[in-house]
Amino acid sequence: MFRSFRAEAWRLETLPQYLMPQEEAEIRAFDEGKRIDLRSYRSGYTDRIKRQCAEGRANGRVRILTRPLTDYLRFEFSRYYEPHSAAGETIRILDVTDRPNPLADAQDFWLFDRSTVVLMNYRPDGGQINRELYEGDPAPFIEFQRIAVSESVPFSEYVSGDVRG
């Protein structure tokens, strides 16, 4: 899907943490105080974002969260969101600490070109079960995206404010 989308790949993230085995060493390094240098950081993901943005294809996401931030979210902000945002991904934060969550019934998903939905299925602890190509009408997910974007703030605005907990 990431190779073939034409205009936009967009993600909704709803969980306070994701347990991905390939992140364990990076999380340990982060917990030990090691940080990345954004000026020299490169990964396959950031290279892909840069390339797709240069081709006129957008990458975006909204992260739903509550404060105080979990250790995982602090890691994710530093290790992923900062370099991904610098590479051109549009990342927004929907902080529902002091208000009702307008997307309480939504699960994690990817939306490609506002027509193809891939459900991201996780256990309650954040361990991934699978990814599932959704065969139904994408309209509810397009509405989830509309709500998420309209109710959120840009990542850079969120982290520059006094709201990180």
Side-chain angles (χ1 to χ4, degrees):
M1 299 305 303
F2 290 104
R3 288 188 208 106
S4 63
F5 78 90
R6 294 178 314 278
E8 180 186 45
W10 188 86
R11 170 102 154 92
L12 181 67
E13 294 179 309
T14 67
L15 299 178
Q17 73 175 5
Y18 297 97
L19 300 176
M20 306 301 287
Q22 65 270 27
E23 292 178 341
E24 289 176 7
E26 292 178 64
I27 290 172
R28 264 194 314 280
F30 179 82
D31 289 345
E32 293 167 2
K34 297 178 181 152
R35 299 298 184 262
I36 60 170
D37 180 355
L38 288 176
R39 293 168 301 197
S40 62
Y41 178 82
R42 288 189 64 185
S43 73
Y45 190 84
T46 56
D47 290 345
R48 180 170 52 84
I49 291 169
K50 288 177 184 177
R51 184 179 61 257
Q52 290 170 339
C53 288
E55 296 166 352
R57 299 191 293 158
N59 286 267
R61 74 181 63 224
V62 170
R63 152 59 84 178
I64 299 173
L65 58 78
T66 58
R67 288 175 272 123
L69 297 183
T70 63
D71 290 341
Y72 181 83
L73 285 173
R74 282 192 282 281
F75 160 76
E76 188 175 56
F77 276 25
S78 173
R79 183 67 175 99
Y80 296 126
Y81 289 179
E82 288 182 17
H84 295 176
S85 184
E89 183 172 4
T90 301
I91 300 172
R92 299 179 65 86
I93 304 298
L94 175 51
D95 188 333
V96 295
T97 302
D98 298 319
R99 65 182 182 140
N101 181 349
L103 295 169
D105 295 330
Q107 76 170 85
D108 285 51
F109 67 91
W110 277 98
L111 177 62
F112 297 94
D113 295 325
R114 299 175 58 88
S115 62
T116 303
V117 177
V118 176
L119 301 174
M120 306 295 288
N121 298 311
Y122 294 94
R123 293 186 304 272
D125 68 359
Q128 190 173 62
I129 299 168
N130 62 23
R131 299 174 184 110
E132 174 187 352
L133 183 61
Y134 179 73
E135 300 290 338
D137 181 1
F141 298 94
I142 294 168
E143 180 63 6
F144 290 154
Q145 179 188 32
R146 186 197 66 73
I147 293 167
V149 170
S150 69
E151 297 282 332
S152 61
V153 298
F155 172 70
S156 60
E157 181 180 319
Y158 187 80
V159 296
S160 69
D162 188 28
V163 293
R164 293 193 291 175

